[in-house]
Amino acid sequence: MPLGDSITAGNGSSDRGSYRSELFRLSLTNARHVTFVGRNLTGPNSVTVGGTTTPFPRNNEGYPGYTIDTQGTRTGIATPAVVDSALTMFTPHIILLMIGTNDVNNDIDLPNLPTRFGALLDRITTMAPGALLVVAKIIPTSMDATNTAVQAYNSEIPGQVQARVAAGKHIVVVDQYAALTANPSYKNALLNDNLHPNDAGYAVMAQTWYAAIKAYLP
């Protein structure tokens, strides 16, 4: 289950497939099986690998503009209508979570951001205790000032995760920020606009997700 905001939905990618289309290609290339679940449908109808065309699972739980939890006029993915309903409906084996970009970019309750994120982790692991929750540090923006806040938020994620891993929860962290900033020209090479990757950026994200989950794929 890809779970998050407009980056999960695919804003900025030419096929609206986000990292999901490249992640699907990687799984096919390596003879691994993966499908995506969710109520939203974005992305291509099919992908081609090695001359073979395969239908693409367009399903996801990506919600443009959403924050971690509901704050003011912003709806959060932690609302029961999103995360509770999705997990009950689909019971995913793996959840790919990246959320917090809209909180940071709009300066929404930043002092409590780690606590709000931790509450979301608790909600997900309670609803889906047998699933592997893969949590991403959020990607950089094109704005250096905003990236200072992004890095502050990202630095809190491992601690929030580790506290829950120590309690027996199945959570791992992937560093999507480091993956993109490894390219010193990432602002021009990997971003489509201030917040969203372009196709090349989404491909980098896909490779990072795949490295984290490939051992779990049949």
Side-chain angles (χ1 to χ4, degrees):
M1 177 180 287
L3 176 62
D5 49 35
S6 59
I7 296 173
T8 298
N11 289 28
S13 55
S14 61
D15 63 3
R16 292 282 293 167
S18 178
Y19 59 79
R20 295 174 283 110
S21 53
E22 183 61 24
L23 180 55
F24 190 63
R25 288 189 187 94
L26 284 169
S27 68
L28 293 174
T29 299
N30 292 281
R32 300 296 178 94
H33 177 72
V34 67
T35 192
F36 304 123
V37 296
R39 292 163 290 182
N40 302 330
L41 298 172
T42 53
N45 291 317
S46 62
V47 301
T48 301
V49 174
T52 300
T53 299
T54 304
F56 175 69
R58 303 174 68 228
N59 308 71
N60 66 90
E61 287 288 320
Y63 295 88
Y66 276 40
T67 48
I68 292 172
D69 53 5
T70 299
Q71 298 283 330
T73 61
R74 292 269 181 171
T75 303
I77 64 169
T79 181
V82 176
V83 73
D84 292 29
S85 295
L87 295 176
T88 299
M89 187 177 300
F90 298 107
T91 59
H93 298 109
I94 299 173
I95 301 159
L96 305 182
L97 173 66
M98 191 173 82
I99 192 69
T101 293
N102 291 311
D103 302 76
V104 173
N105 189 54
N106 293 281
D107 195 23
I108 297 174
D109 192 23
L110 296 187
N112 293 310
L113 196 55
T115 301
R116 296 193 287 115
F117 181 72
L120 175 60
L121 298 184
D122 291 337
R123 194 177 196 103
I124 294 172
T125 54
T126 298
M127 292 289 299
L132 174 68
L133 176 57
V134 187
V135 175
K137 294 185 179 183
I138 65 174
I139 66 169
T141 74
S142 65
M143 302 161 286
D144 292 338
T146 303
N147 284 339
T148 298
V150 168
Q151 290 176 286
Y153 168 54
N154 281 341
S155 70
E156 297 286 347
I157 289 176
Q160 293 291 328
V161 168
Q162 186 54 45
R164 287 152 179 88
V165 169
K169 307 301 181 183
H170 307 297
I171 315 175
V172 296
V173 178
V174 298
D175 195 342
Q176 296 287 8
Y177 187 97
L180 267 69
T181 57
N183 183 335
S185 302
Y186 76 88
K187 292 179 184 178
N188 294 317
L190 302 179
L191 295 182
N192 181 70
D193 54 30
N194 287 342
L195 299 177
H196 304 95
N198 58 21
D199 290 349
Y202 278 121
V204 171
M205 290 185 67
Q207 292 158 12
T208 307
W209 286 121
Y210 184 75
I213 68 172
K214 63 182 179 180
Y216 301 93
L217 300 178

